[in-house]
Amino acid sequence: MTDDSPAPFSRLRALLPDLAPWRASADFRRLWVSGTISNFGSFLTFVALPVQLKELTGSAAAVGAIGAVELLPLVLFGLYGGALADALDKRGLIIWTEAGQGLLSAALLFNALLPHPAVWPLYAVAGLSSALVSLQRPAIDSLWPRIVAHEHLPAAAALNSLRWTVGGVASPALAGVVVAYAGLGWAYGADLLTFVVSVALMIPIAASPAAHEAAKPSLAAIAEGARYAWSRKELLGTYAVDLAAMFLAMPLAVLPFLADELHANWSLGLMYASVPFGSLLVSLTSGWTSRVHRHGRMVVLSAALWGLAIAGAGMVGNVWLVLLFLTVAGGCDMVSGIFRGAMWNQTIPDELRGRLAGIELLSYSVGPTVGQVRSGGFAAWWGVRTSVWSGGLLCAGAVGLLALCLPGLMAYDVRTNEHAVRLRERRAAAAPDRAPA
């Protein structure tokens, strides 16, 4: 008699990431590997920069001020970068901005090697890096739907999240050791090397010129993208939820001070690694995400749980429990990111993709950037742990309120949403005309 029950291996494989985009597209593989290497180095600097500021100033507010310095370039260049991504060759824009970030890493390395490193270059590099990332990210986000089949986009979102979390887990833990025992210069030098390798890997990627319908970069083009976003209330909901979660419950700026308060300086690298480690656990078991259709509900639920987990990290006094709560928070953030990305990529037309990616950049980058200022300010006024747990509770409350105010987000279903259906039919009709990857 044949046993028709699924084998344990089959059940396990259903949880593992869907590798269909990796198998089907060579350009996806190149961009994925390049991004993994670049992210690894960027996380080294992500840890080293606030540590160096803490050493030079001893001020939580000074560390939190990094977010204020990054904010204006993020807003200005994020919106304009979206317009450029629609009007220019996306591949070229990505390569040039990647090379620019490598030069900024070289500047940090030079400053760190001086007998008396200055503070102002750290803020200058943070602002310039924010500008380059804001120009680059819309181009990357709008390139994925071009090099991945429509039905593979949720799987691609999960794999893209995986590349971020691989660097996010290993790099902060490694950076804590490197900064403590080898010095800041080694962290910045490794970051510079990763940018060199990343650019070399991206050069063979096929050109991705502007769509025929794309508008030239201008204020009018940016306004057109904003009007489209405003007309899509379910998209607005994803932006608003993520903005609230990151602004109110992003504790990264105060982690060096939290480690001090818990008398566990050795744990700083682990604290930075815990959030991406939680994300990595979700990414490695993300096969289930392709079978979920109500993406809006998952965005709301995971954002609320992120806030509650951050609140837990601020309330407990044991460093291992802090690491556990940060890991749970990272997993929730990854779930939210996967379903936000799926909603964006499966419903936004190609000719508007860059400009909407610019708006997306603001939603998921302005929040953490301003959140650093909030957490640093709260920590200076009321204490580090109060800053963390109060932000987490405010996040959970804000997300719940947004869910009540945005029924379109809660009702979103990729099988029936008119924009998802239209784009699916449009890509299906164009499929015979596309050359194989």
Side-chain angles (χ1 to χ4, degrees):
M1 184 174 63
T2 303
D3 183 5
D4 294 328
S5 61
F9 179 76
S10 298
R11 291 195 295 269
L12 176 62
R13 188 168 58 182
L15 289 175
L16 296 177
D18 184 354
L19 298 180
W22 179 277
R23 292 192 293 265
S25 172
D27 282 347
F28 177 85
R29 294 193 295 272
R30 295 186 187 103
L31 195 58
W32 192 95
V33 173
S34 171
T36 301
I37 294 172
S38 177
N39 288 343
F40 184 87
S42 296
F43 271 108
L44 289 173
T45 296
F46 179 75
V47 173
L49 188 62
V51 169
Q52 188 175 20
L53 264 176
K54 175 179 175 288
E55 291 178 354
L56 296 175
T57 67
S59 168
V63 176
I66 294 175
V69 171
E70 293 172 340
L71 180 59
L72 184 59
L74 186 63
V75 174
L76 294 179
F77 290 94
L79 291 173
Y80 191 65
L84 287 177
D86 281 335
L88 301 178
D89 174 56
K90 295 174 177 57
R91 167 187 167 275
L93 185 58
I94 294 168
I95 290 175
W96 282 109
T97 50
E98 191 82 352
Q101 291 182 74
L103 293 177
L104 294 180
S105 296
L108 287 175
L109 174 61
F110 177 79
N111 183 61
L113 295 178
L114 293 175
H116 301 287
V119 171
W120 70 263
L122 305 183
Y123 289 114
V125 168
L128 291 171
S129 178
S130 176
L132 287 175
V133 170
S134 300
L135 289 173
Q136 182 190 75
R137 191 59 181 265
I140 293 177
D141 288 348
S142 58
L143 181 59
W144 295 118
R146 284 194 172 188
I147 62 178
V148 175
H150 185 80
E151 63 274 14
H152 294 161
L153 286 172
L159 290 173
N160 288 333
S161 300
L162 178 62
R163 76 185 176 98
W164 177 82
T165 56
V166 167
V169 171
S171 295
L174 177 61
V177 176
V178 170
V179 170
Y181 296 102
L184 294 160
W186 284 92
Y188 296 140
D191 190 18
L192 171 60
L193 179 61
T194 62
F195 280 121
V196 173
V197 175
S198 174
V199 169
L201 287 170
M202 284 191 288
I203 289 176
I205 293 175
S208 182
H212 295 301
E213 306 89 346
K216 294 181 179 180
S218 64
L219 291 177
I222 294 172
E224 180 187 5
R227 286 193 298 270
Y228 177 82
W230 183 258
S231 71
R232 297 280 310 280
K233 297 301 186 271
E234 71 278 19
L235 286 185
L236 286 179
T238 66
Y239 303 151
V241 166
D242 190 53
L243 188 64
M246 295 297 101
F247 169 65
L248 295 169
M250 177 54 73
L252 298 185
V254 300
L255 290 185
F257 300 91
L258 181 60
D260 281 348
E261 191 166 307
L262 296 174
H263 307 290
N265 291 329
W266 56 267
S267 69
L268 178 59
L270 294 177
M271 286 186 182
Y272 278 115
S274 293
V275 172
F277 179 65
S279 299
L280 177 62
L281 292 178
V282 170
S283 297
L284 291 174
T285 57
S286 60
W288 61 274
T289 60
S290 297
R291 299 186 291 277
V292 175
H293 306 293
R294 295 187 177 273
H295 299 164
R297 294 184 181 182
M298 293 302 296
V299 169
V300 169
L301 176 61
S302 54
L305 292 176
W306 152 272
L308 293 176
I310 293 297
M315 290 177 181
V316 299
N318 180 282
V319 66
W320 294 107
L321 289 178
V322 170
L323 295 173
L324 175 61
F325 276 116
L326 291 176
T327 300
V328 172
C332 295
D333 185 49
M334 176 55 63
V335 173
S336 177
I338 288 173
F339 289 108
R340 288 197 315 271
M343 288 180 68
W344 297 337
N345 290 331
Q346 290 185 313
T347 64
I348 298 173
D350 184 66
E351 63 272 14
L352 287 165
R353 192 70 191 85
R355 280 163 286 176
L356 269 293
I359 297 173
E360 293 158 18
L361 175 70
L362 297 185
S363 78
Y364 59 68
S365 297
V366 168
T369 301
V370 182
Q372 291 188 75
V373 181
R374 185 213 65 81
S375 62
F378 273 42
W381 296 330
W382 295 307
V384 173
R385 291 174 63 184
T386 300
S387 171
V388 176
W389 68 254
S390 64
L393 293 181
L394 287 171
C395 164
V399 170
L401 183 61
L402 286 169
L404 293 175
C405 297
L406 296 166
L409 176 62
M410 299 298 289
Y412 177 88
D413 188 322
V414 69
R415 296 168 296 185
T416 57
N417 178 268
E418 60 175 313
H419 302 282
V421 171
R422 185 181 304 121
L423 188 58
R424 188 159 55 240
E425 292 174 346
R426 181 176 173 181
R427 292 198 66 177
D433 299 326
R434 292 202 305 265

